[in-house]
Amino acid sequence: MSLQVEKMEKSMAKLTIEVSAEKFAEAIKAAYKKNAGKINVQGFRKGKAPFSVVEKMYGSEIFYEDAANIIIPDAYEEELKNSDVEPVSRPEVDVVQIEKGKPFIFTATVAIKPEVTLGTYKGIEVECEKAIVTDEDVMDELKREQEKNASMETVEDRPAELGDKTTIDFEGFVDGVAFEGGKGTDYPLELGSHSFIDTFEDQIVGANVGDELDVNVTFPDEYQAEELAGKPALFKVTVKKIEKKILPEIDDELAQDVSEFDTLDEYKDDIRAKLLEKKEAQIKAAKEDSVIEKIIEGATMEIADAMITDQTERMIREYAQNLQMQGLSIEQYMQFTGNTVEQMMEQMRPQAEKRIQSRLVLEAVAAAENLEVSDDEVNEKLEEMGKMYGMDAAKVKEAVGEDGVNQMKEDIKVEKAINLVTEAAKEI
């Protein structure tokens, strides 16, 4: 085999790979064996006709596509190992020459890791907040715990108020016709939650149990169901139940119920410490983002569109996996939001480009500073992963393989680069 690399504009490269005629002939034979059971030749049982007979009758061209599919993946991977090309996207393959008795030639066009020219990356000036926790912050946290521990009490002696939880039946009509998905029975609705469109909840305020109401609303212009977008609708609503929230007192008893502390003061101190830790982490993350943003602004790099597309698709797959963990498929999500895959790609593309830029400049910093990763640091990471997945570190190492360990080393280098540029930054 042989490889020729042509560097192209905007961090693209065309790899021309030539596979010997002998290897191509072997691939044709392999394609024949794969398809033999499907071939009928008069005078032979199905799948038993010799290759020479099949070739004479149909021509070896009938096996070219399968032969190419057999050869290309292995040839591409093998030649990459023998080159300094670092692809960052899936290859776009074109067959240049495919003919029996001649070398098989194909091209693979890929995005390659772009060269990065760094500007200033040490002593970056960034604005930073101070981590401060106020009494109001602590009280807000206490109120959230108070809300979480509220009990509900049925109301029969007054009409519904904002903050009440109601149970309703409803059916929606547009132009006098009931529409799909506009009907609900024994539906729980908290008044003031803004979970229903327009002024729906406001119009239930003041109603009593047993009341039947006409609720008039208008669907938003950007509503997910296009047939309803911007249209006025009438909902026939029956109020079946009203419940009010009973909030517990913010006192020692609440502290004992929701924490390991005996007194409210002790609980407040704990809340303050945790809020401070959280704010410090947020400020640190914001500082890192600001520093990296400024390093990107001072750097030059040319990123191929294919690399951004590949990263965007990866992010959508990650998003789909997260949805699946919540019991929702990506198809259901798109149905609920009215989004398409194309729209999601467009929305995520800027974030994907930013993620690529961040990684590239940090890798460039790591290279400029000759940052290294020790075996102890890798083993420490493997130990962390082992604890996370309930596995022995050695088993984790075996599971991720050599490529996984190498990727881990690169990730640790990037972490070191983040720490280096953040610690060298000047707060203003």
Side-chain angles (χ1 to χ4, degrees), residues 227-239:
E227 68 276 10
L228 300 176
K231 291 189 176 180
L234 167 68
F235 281 86
K236 296 284 186 182
V237 178
T238 302
V239 180

Side-chain angles (χ1 to χ4, degrees), residues 266-281:
E266 289 175 306
Y267 183 40
K268 281 182 177 180
D269 289 342
D270 183 64
I271 289 174
R272 189 179 296 275
K274 285 177 179 172
L275 286 176
L276 183 62
E277 186 179 340
K278 184 178 177 181
K279 284 199 173 188
E280 286 172 342

